[in-house]
Amino acid sequence: VNFAKDINVPVFMTFGLIDNVTPATTIFAAYNAIPSDKKYYLMADVQHANHPIQMERVKEYILKKIK
């Protein structure tokens, strides 16, 4: 969170609501501090892992940004 205010590029964050390593509250704190263009994708039933749907959303976001 300390350096989130310095981010000046587009950000896409994806995380799980039941993550016990990086709780959603900390992710939202960082997200809310980011001043640049940002989006997030939240999955209610995912822990601290990469779910295939999350990876698809990341790809979609990147493809939209590079067009």
Side-chain angles (χ1 to χ4, degrees), residues 14-56:
T14 178
F15 52 98
L17 194 55
I18 58 173
D19 187 336
N20 59 359
V21 176
T22 311
T25 53
T26 61
I27 300 296
F28 278 119
Y31 180 85
N32 290 332
I34 296 170
S36 64
D37 178 47
K38 60 193 175 199
K39 293 196 183 300
Y40 70 86
Y41 181 74
L42 174 64
M43 293 191 69
D45 59 345
V46 173
Q47 295 182 15
H48 194 79
N50 290 328
H51 190 280
I53 294 173
Q54 290 172 299
M55 296 299 95
E56 281 300 313

